[in-house]
Amino acid sequence: MIRLAVREKNEQTGSYRPLQETGLKAEIQKISGSGDIKEPFVWEISVENPSGQTWEGVLRVELPFDKEAPEFFLPGFLYGTNRGDAPLRVDNEYPRLREGEMDRPASPWWMVRGDRLSHPLACVKDGNRIYGLSASPYYLKNGETIEAWTPGKTGEFYQYAGFYCSLEDGAVGYTLGYENAPWLYIQSHTVREREAMGENCFRLPAKGSVRFQVLEYCCEAAHTAQVGRLVEEIYWKYHQAPREAASMKETVQDIAGAVSTDAWLEEDCAYSGFVFEHPDGSLWYRKLPSVTWTNGVTVAVPMLLAAFRTGGDQGCEMRRQALACIEKIVSESEAPGSGLPWAVCDNGNWSNRGWWFDGMHTPGHSGYLVGQLLYYVLEAWEAEKKYAGQEHPEWLTFVGRVLERLEDSCNTDGEFPYILSETTGAGLEYDAMGSCWILAAMAYFDRLTGNRERMEMLRKSEAHYYKAYVSKMVCYGGPLDTDKAVDSEGVLSYLRAVGNMHRLTGEEQYLDHMKQALDYEFSFKFCYNSPIKTPPLGKIGWSSCGGSITSVANPHIHPMSSTVTGEMTYYLKFREDAYVAERLKDTLLWSCQNHNRFDREFDYGRKGWMSERFCHCQGLLVQEYPDGSKASTWFALMPWACGSILEGLCRVLVTV
């Protein structure tokens, strides 16, 4: 049974008290439903302010449950406990759930503004049941009428709603008005204390009222995969398609043209990590060198794919640049001691000391970077063979040799290392989803070469990553700069791995696992278009739907999840699934509206330029215009981000 509690603007303690202790009046009526995922209880709630003065505060709708071992899910914001069971004393803070006294960044409860979540849902799986609440993420005003937004409804934006979860009390909740409490995370190093009640308050005018509906879920759920089905139902209820901006063909040509023209560094056989434009129109570069992830093959290989789809002299130049970058990495990066590739070439010096190095806890080779590098080299090899008739045997030899070195590092669980020794290649640190890139590369290599000698290892490793991370919907340890926060990046390697496992075996279980991995990724992917106010995104009508929140530590949208359009397409070849098909459409539309279609469309840069950062909420809202006002994107061309869009579109767009 739901209950109502409020915190009024003049409350000094910060605690919530029952609504009947205030001057507000409420009516709560259950109008339909069984509590099932397909037929939730529908509660209609009416709140009236009978006084002669405006009421200001936050109204909280709570759903308590008898807690056993709760696993909370607030899509895009909190998964399980956000690793509240792991050590807290790390460089990067992010919200975590832990019982007991508040110990930042851990709290026994959280409240957050609705646009921090990708879907308007707060739920928990406890034992064999799911409990959850869903309602509109924001409110509109039409004249004197305040009403909840739903797709198709128009009006003046009025106020955000919010969501709540409590490990302490055993409850999930929804709020009119919102709080960011006990802390607001702008980014992992910018954390604000709970603010005094102000613009976050919901306002009911004198003699005014508001009526809204809340969906309650209370049903059996033997497996965490049911959370994916619940997210799907919320998607269908609140879905808005992204805006239609450029076509896929235009997007590929414009972005790839900009990267080739403005980011290629001939003397380094590499792309610049950032490209900035001076007021006089000249460019300056921040190299940010790396073999992959934020540079290297994650730029070169998508540019190679774009070259084949562009053609002509421009396509030839793109291909020449991409091949030069790949050849340099393949021929020079292998470390003599470990036999593994170095991560960085800075002014001719190879090492693992990338921009992320001082945030690591153990120095060495990164399993994430090594595996991803090998995977992309294989993708380039396959593309060259298919479109140019070139086989590059030295690329296969390089990948095969490194994979042989990596075989011995796989532990008895079937997991590859997060960090490997620079001197011997031995595994030093595990417990991370990012190393699944090694599995993805190994399965890809064996499929391309016809090797079947490692099938037992591949099966065991896939089973481990599925059981330890994917099946729990808690994937962590992807990017190297978040202290193993729960993220959307780690599962992207698993999707590639399990896709290749299905190609190798034809076994249905791998399609089942692919669907669950897609469900996890989709939980980070916005289902509606958040009402963004901050420019430039707010002024051009930029759409959040189809973009995936990066992680629970980096609360912005970046484009890496656009790279798995190929896996979505592959899945749909074998199974009819309207949900996956619609998510694919969202991803493609979203991918075509993040770059400058003309000079300075996003208030910076040239045609085709695109950054990695899209701030859909208060998170990571740290960039500034020259006058000091906040900006909702980064004012730079960032080729790795462009590469994510190019790869995703080129894997679907066969020719242009």
Side-chain angles (χ1 to χ4, degrees):
M1 179 67 180
I2 64 172
R3 63 194 182 198
L4 303 184
V6 299
R7 182 187 176 204
E8 297 183 290
K9 185 176 181 180
N10 58 2
E11 291 279 357
Q12 300 299 316
T13 64
S15 60
Y16 281 72
R17 55 197 178 105
L19 180 139
Q20 56 265 33
E21 295 181 9
T22 72
L24 299 178
K25 294 183 178 180
E27 292 183 5
I28 305 175
Q29 182 181 6
K30 185 191 293 183
I31 60 175
S32 64
S34 63
D36 187 65
I37 288 175
K38 291 287 187 180
E39 296 183 352
F41 294 123
V42 179
W43 294 93
E44 189 160 278
I45 301 173
S46 177
V47 179
E48 179 187 356
N49 173 21
S51 76
Q53 295 181 330
T54 298
W55 181 87
E56 296 180 280
V58 176
L59 169 70
R60 193 162 75 191
V61 183
E62 300 174 345
L63 175 63
F65 59 91
D66 295 326
K67 62 178 182 177
E68 298 175 19
E71 305 166 59
F72 290 89
F73 296 95
L74 281 68
F77 176 74
L78 197 145
Y79 292 77
T81 61
N82 271 4
R83 308 198 68 223
D85 57 322
L88 301 177
R89 303 290 175 262
V90 293
D91 185 50
N92 292 280
E93 294 188 26
Y94 52 89
R96 306 204 202 189
L97 266 176
R98 182 184 284 187
E99 286 197 85
E101 295 294 321
M102 290 183 187
D103 184 9
R104 204 180 97 183
S107 167
W109 56 271
W110 286 93
M111 297 183 70
V112 65
R113 198 169 89 174
D115 61 342
R116 190 71 174 259
L117 278 59
S118 61
H119 297 68
L121 170 70
C123 72
V124 60
K125 182 181 181 296
D126 198 17
N128 64 350
R129 299 191 69 79
I130 283 179
Y131 307 90
L133 290 181
S134 177
S136 178
Y138 64 93
Y139 283 73
L140 302 173
K141 189 172 184 180
N142 285 292
E144 295 302 315
T145 303
I146 302 168
E147 54 187 354
W149 167 82
T150 55
K153 187 170 290 187
T154 61
E156 179 186 356
F157 175 80
Y158 183 66
Q159 178 60 287
Y160 286 104
F163 291 88
Y164 162 73
C165 66
S166 176
L167 181 60
E168 182 178 53
D169 298 331
V172 291
Y174 169 75
T175 65
L176 267 65
Y178 65 90
E179 285 201 77
N180 294 300
W183 304 286
L184 168 61
Y185 282 80
I186 303 296
Q187 58 182 339
S188 59
H189 298 92
T190 308
V191 185
R192 294 180 184 169
E193 295 293 328
R194 186 181 192 178
E195 295 179 341
M197 300 281 270
E199 65 177 22
N200 64 309
C201 289
F202 195 86
R203 292 165 179 82
L204 272 179
K207 310 299 183 181
S209 65
V210 62
R211 184 182 298 271
F212 60 100
Q213 288 186 348
V214 173
L215 306 182
E216 177 194 344
Y217 299 89
C218 181
C219 56
E220 292 187 1
H223 195 282
T224 306
Q226 286 296 96
V227 174
R229 302 284 60 76
L230 177 50
V231 171
E232 178 180 353
E233 290 302 312
I234 302 301
Y235 171 86
W236 290 121
K237 181 172 179 61
Y238 287 101
H239 178 238
Q240 287 179 299
R243 68 179 177 136
E244 295 188 21
S247 70
M248 291 171 62
K249 177 180 178 179
E250 291 168 334
T251 300
V252 169
Q253 291 177 333
D254 289 350
I255 291 179
V259 172
S260 176
T261 301
D262 297 332
W264 176 248
L265 305 174
E266 186 68 38
E267 66 279 10
D268 295 316
C269 291
Y271 301 89
S272 180
F274 289 77
V275 183
F276 299 94
E277 187 176 29
H278 287 298
D280 65 2
S282 62
L283 305 180
W284 66 281
Y285 306 96
R286 184 184 301 166
K287 290 187 177 181
L288 207 73
S290 62
V291 299
T292 189
W293 187 33
T294 54
N295 211 323
V297 292
T298 53
V299 185
V301 177
M303 286 295 290
L304 180 65
L305 299 178
F308 290 127
R309 287 154 180 81
T310 300
D313 292 343
Q314 185 182 34
C316 287
E317 177 61 10
M318 291 176 189
R319 178 171 178 256
R320 183 194 70 80
Q321 294 168 351
L323 292 179
C325 180
I326 297 167
E327 290 282 4
K328 178 181 176 67
I329 293 169
V330 169
S331 63
E332 298 181 15
S333 67
E334 206 166 336
S338 65
L340 304 177
W342 296 112
V344 175
C345 182
D346 191 5
N347 295 319
N349 299 312
W350 288 94
S351 74
N352 286 319
R353 291 178 174 262
W355 61 266
W356 58 84
F357 178 78
D358 285 324
M360 303 296 291
H361 300 279
T362 305
H365 296 284
S366 159
Y368 178 7
L369 302 187
V370 170
Q372 189 180 80
L373 168 62
L374 300 181
Y375 189 93
Y376 274 93
V377 171
L378 292 173
E379 189 171 12
W381 181 89
E382 188 174 29
E384 277 283 289
K385 182 179 180 181
K386 181 177 181 179
Y387 297 114
Q390 300 292 318
E391 293 209 15
H392 301 282
E394 70 281 8
W395 295 3
L396 276 188
T397 300
F398 166 76
V399 173
R401 186 168 59 245
V402 175
L403 287 175
E404 285 182 7
R405 297 298 299 265
L406 290 167
E407 281 189 47
D408 293 337
S409 69
C410 189
N411 67 14
T412 55
D413 289 333
E415 184 168 319
F416 290 97
Y418 180 64
I419 300 294
L420 303 99
S421 168
E422 290 184 356
T423 55
T424 66
L428 300 178
E429 184 181 347
Y430 292 79
D431 187 37
M433 191 70 184
S435 60
C436 187
W437 275 105
I438 299 174
L439 169 63
M442 197 171 284
Y444 194 3
F445 179 86
D446 288 359
R447 177 173 71 81
L448 292 176
T449 61
N451 179 50
R452 296 296 183 271
E453 297 179 2
R454 288 189 286 230
M455 280 305 300
E456 183 178 351
M457 170 183 281
L458 294 179
R459 288 182 183 278
K460 182 177 181 180
S461 184
E462 185 280 332
H464 168 74
Y465 285 106
Y466 170 74
K467 183 178 180 180
Y469 302 98
V470 178
S471 70
K472 296 177 180 178
M473 290 190 72
V474 181
C475 300
Y476 57 87
L480 303 177
D481 60 344
T482 62
D483 282 303
K484 297 184 181 180
V486 180
D487 64 69
S488 63
E489 288 185 28
V491 81
L492 305 182
S493 59
Y494 178 81
L495 280 164
R496 290 167 165 87
V498 77
N500 279 290
M501 290 297 292
H502 182 261
R503 289 176 174 91
L504 283 167
T505 68
E507 295 174 8
E508 288 290 306
Q509 67 166 329
Y510 295 119
L511 290 179
D512 294 339
H513 291 183
M514 180 176 278
K515 178 59 184 292
Q516 290 186 46
L518 287 170
D519 280 341
Y520 174 77
E521 202 290 305
F522 294 159
S523 76
F524 284 90
K525 192 180 293 292
F526 258 84
C527 70
Y528 73 100
N529 294 316
S530 181
I532 300 168
K533 302 302 179 185
T534 307
L537 302 186
K539 75 173 185 177
I540 65 175
W542 181 88
S543 297
S544 54
C545 178
S548 296
I549 297 172
T550 307
S551 71
V552 302
N554 284 331
H556 70 139
I557 293 175
H558 79 21
M560 190 177 289
S561 290
S562 289
T563 63
V564 291
T565 56
E567 280 62 44
M568 291 186 241
T569 303
Y570 180 79
Y571 178 83
L572 290 169
K573 288 180 180 179
F574 297 92
R575 294 183 177 176
E576 291 187 12
D577 192 314
Y579 180 50
V580 175
E582 201 65 27
R583 289 288 199 173
L584 175 58
K585 291 178 185 177
D586 289 346
T587 305
L588 295 173
L589 279 174
W590 182 86
S591 298
C592 294
Q593 53 108 49
N594 301 299
H595 65 286
N596 279 336
R597 295 173 296 172
F598 48 85
D599 291 354
R600 301 189 64 79
E601 181 182 10
F602 281 72
D603 288 345
Y604 75 98
R606 303 173 180 178
K607 181 178 180 179
W609 281 32
M610 191 189 91
S611 82
E612 71 164 29
R613 182 170 294 176
F614 302 94
C615 300
H616 62 280
C617 65
Q618 297 154 297
L620 275 172
L621 203 59
V622 294
Q623 268 73 50
E624 295 181 346
Y625 284 91
D627 65 2
S629 61
K630 295 299 181 185
S632 50
T633 193
W634 219 330
F635 295 144
L637 169 63
M638 301 180 68
W640 87 259
C642 294
S644 293
I645 297 297
L646 294 174
E647 182 182 3
L649 295 180
C650 288
R651 294 182 75 189
V652 174
L653 189 65
V654 177
T655 59
V656 297

